[in-house]
Amino acid sequence: MVDEFRAIRLQKGEAGAPRVEEAVLTPDDLMEGDVDVAVEATTINYKDALALTGRAPVVRRWPMVPGIDLAGTVAASRSALWREGDKVILNGHGLGETHWGAYAGLGRVKAEWLVPLPARFSAAEAMGIGTAGYTAALCVLALERHGLSPERGPALVTGASGGVGSIAVALLARRGWHVTASTGRPEGADWLRGLGASDILDRADLAGPGKALGSERWAAGVDSVGSHTLANLLSMTKRDGAVAACGLAGGLDLPASVAPFILRGVALLGVDSVYAAQAERLRAWERLAEDLDPAVLASLVTEIGFADIVPTATALLEGKVRGRVVVTDVGAATRI
């Protein structure tokens, strides 16, 4: 059994800003659940960064151990679904929001929240994908369910330098799409082309107020930005095309017209990765295992230490982090 383990814990601070502390916890401190997972790797998503900095009300229960993604090994199970030694992943399900999350050496969670770690991936590689990549896969699957394929025309990915966008570029290109990557980092153009992007678009071209109906340019889109960017993408989507929307980095608003929907039959496909059905989660991870080239994944990932989580979260919100961040020494201070 684990005697004690380190964790990052958030206490409710003044004026909405959390107080971040590093704590030493024991299994008795954990919340209810029927599976204990020794955390081997985690990551920093946009939502994690918001929680750690207090820039948005992500945390809904205090105190909170943040971190919405984990990969590791079952240390103890009180469920027939899992056995000690099983390799597992958890994405979402309120982790780091209402239930203690991944920034700890040990997590206690509900059995039905877990999915098996695909044999192709290590724990670190799975966290190189994380909720961002799993969400990207859900977006691609949503476009395919809508009947879209590369023969219909090109696809646009917004926020392409970020976690969701970069993996969406790679997954779409792998399936034969001509991908345009929208980014505010021109210095990363060669990197995006290495992921499979055919064209690079400056994000400024989509960031301002646009026309109710623009020229038809893309058959499909994956958007993690929202606001004017999503509105412009919708206005320029081809007849009977669709956009999978999964993020709000640019804002919660959608200053759009109904014109694309009623004059071109464009569809807006909402993608919720937090509470996605188990069958969809499994299919998304199957697609990632099928289509994500290990060399491409390696080019997406930067590894950091446990002590670097908080400063990296700030850098992510400032647009200084490219691709994915992986923390592999979460359990390094755990005493067994």
Side-chain angles (χ1 to χ4, degrees), residues 23 38 47 66 82 126 129 147 170 189 203 208 216 232 246 270 294 297:
K47 184 180 285 187
W82 303 100
I129 297 167
R203 71 180 176 194
E216 296 180 60
N232 280 308
C246 63
L297 179 58

Side-chain angles (χ1 to χ4, degrees), residues 115-116 118 120-121 134 137 141 171 175 278-292:
V115 297
R120 185 178 182 185
F121 299 131
Y134 146 70
L141 292 171
L171 292 176
R175 291 278 162 162
Q278 191 75 342
E280 278 299 294
R281 291 171 181 271
L282 292 170
R283 183 67 192 108
W285 279 101
E286 287 171 1
R287 173 59 64 86
L288 289 160
E290 291 169 10
D291 285 1
L292 198 55

Side-chain angles (χ1 to χ4, degrees), residues 108-159:
R108 180 170 294 156
V109 299
K110 293 184 178 181
E112 59 268 26
W113 293 352
L114 297 166
V115 297
L117 174 69
R120 185 178 182 185
F121 299 131
S122 67
E125 288 171 332
M127 290 298 94
I129 297 167
T131 283
Y134 146 70
T135 302
L138 289 175
C139 289
V140 173
L141 292 171
L143 294 172
E144 292 175 353
R145 281 198 304 275
H146 194 71
L148 296 175
S149 61
E151 293 73 25
R152 297 283 298 277
L156 176 71
V157 176
T158 67

Side-chain angles (χ1 to χ4, degrees), residues 1-90:
M1 280 295 295
V2 175
D3 295 326
E4 59 183 33
F5 52 92
R6 65 179 174 179
I8 291 176
R9 185 168 58 191
L10 303 181
Q11 301 283 1
K12 193 170 187 178
E14 297 179 1
R19 188 171 75 252
V20 183
E21 59 186 23
E22 187 168 328
V24 176
L25 305 178
T26 72
D28 290 340
D29 295 317
L30 294 171
M31 296 178 68
E32 292 185 1
D34 42 17
V35 180
D36 292 357
V37 180
V39 181
E40 296 171 14
T42 184
T43 181
I44 304 176
N45 295 287
Y46 186 75
K47 184 180 285 187
D48 298 318
L50 292 175
L52 286 162
T53 60
R55 296 191 190 180
V58 170
V59 176
R60 289 176 281 162
R61 179 171 182 166
W62 302 91
M64 178 55 59
V65 174
I68 67 173
D69 282 330
L70 66 79
T73 301
V74 172
S77 176
R78 296 161 291 282
S79 165
L81 295 176
W82 303 100
R83 296 181 298 176
E84 184 177 338
D86 286 342
K87 299 291 186 179
V88 293
I89 310 169
L90 202 165

Side-chain angles (χ1 to χ4, degrees), residues 299-313:
S299 75
L300 291 168
V301 170
T302 300
E303 288 197 12
I304 64 170
F306 191 82
D308 300 318
I309 289 176
V310 175
T312 302

